[in-house]
Amino acid sequence: MEWFKNIYEWLLSLFWSTELDITLLGLQNAGKTSLLKAICGSDFTPDSIPTVGFAMKRVKVGRVTLKCWDLGGQPRFRSMWERYCRGVNAVVFILDSADPSTFDTAKTELHSLLEKESMEGIPLLVLGNKNDIADAIPVDKVIQTLGLKEITDREVSCYSISVKEANNLSAVLKWLIANRKT
């Protein structure tokens, strides 16, 4: 019977599979690469090497393949963000919710990007990462801090997560699949 199930799944994937382009953004050390590794099934490692430029990985989730662009968050790479957001199904913006020194810059960079004409209508998922740290701000403060209620021209959601503890990662995947721009 197992072979029948495998053939059935394979046939379904031929006719009913989807590929979504997703861009992961945020300032340096927010957890973008760690999130991508976690989505791919790897264990958390605290000594991740910062992304230089960009990296791309494909992740299969059921009948959906996520093509994820992980973009560097250092100031010299932020001018590239728009280029890798054009035509994507969703943008994921990750904030280190335990580092208040980055909040103003994160808000400025996010709103500057969303003002670009090429970004029109692309759904946005904001993740307040590192909720396992005692000083991390809760999701309602992430919404307030980044001015997410000011963004009215697209679907916007915000979750509090911890990549390290794998908190809320399944909700992230469900959101990406359900709220993508088609």
Side-chain angles (χ1 to χ4, degrees):
M1 264 329 236
E2 184 67 28
W3 63 271
F4 180 75
K5 181 181 174 199
N6 290 339
I7 290 173
Y8 176 74
E9 289 292 324
W10 177 75
L11 285 171
L12 275 178
S13 72
L14 290 176
F15 299 105
W16 196 3
S17 62
T18 305
E19 181 169 289
L20 303 177
D21 285 321
I22 308 296
T23 301
L24 305 175
L25 303 172
L27 304 184
Q28 64 273 19
N29 301 315
K32 300 173 297 295
T33 301
S34 295
L35 175 64
L36 184 54
K37 287 179 181 179
I39 290 172
C40 291
S42 298
D43 291 331
F44 176 80
T45 55
D47 56 348
S48 257
I49 299 169
T51 303
V52 176
F54 67 91
M56 190 277 291
K57 288 192 183 222
R58 290 183 194 281
V59 182
K60 188 136 173 87
V61 181
R63 292 188 185 98
V64 177
T65 300
L66 301 174
K67 184 169 120 184
C68 299
W69 295 94
D70 173 14
L71 304 184
Q74 300 87 344
R76 70 178 187 252
F77 298 123
R78 295 178 198 158
S79 63
M80 295 182 354
W81 288 1
E82 180 192 6
R83 184 178 327 149
Y84 289 94
C85 290
R86 290 182 192 145
V88 298
N89 300 98
V91 169
V92 178
F93 188 87
I94 301 151
L95 174 75
D96 180 344
S97 63
D99 185 359
S101 70
T102 64
F103 295 172
D104 287 341
T105 303
K107 179 181 180 179
T108 300
E109 293 292 344
L110 176 62
H111 284 266
S112 175
L113 175 69
L114 295 178
E115 289 172 358
K116 311 270 190 230
E117 189 175 323
S118 63
M119 296 296 299
E120 184 178 332
I122 296 174
L124 172 67
L125 176 59
V126 175
L127 302 176
N129 189 25
K130 305 184 184 179
N131 72 10
D132 56 298
I133 298 174
D135 293 339
I137 61 172
V139 71
D140 59 324
K141 289 286 189 187
V142 172
I143 292 167
Q144 180 184 358
T145 299
L146 294 182
L148 299 183
K149 290 188 177 184
E150 300 166 17
I151 304 168
T152 58
D153 62 343
R154 70 192 73 239
E155 176 70 30
V156 178
S157 290
C158 184
Y159 294 138
S160 176
I161 68 165
S162 169
V163 174
K164 179 180 179 183
E165 301 292 327
N167 294 341
N168 240 0
L169 299 186
S170 61
V172 170
L173 291 172
K174 287 178 185 173
W175 188 94
L176 289 171
I177 293 167
N179 293 288
R180 66 195 182 264
K181 180 179 180 183
T182 53

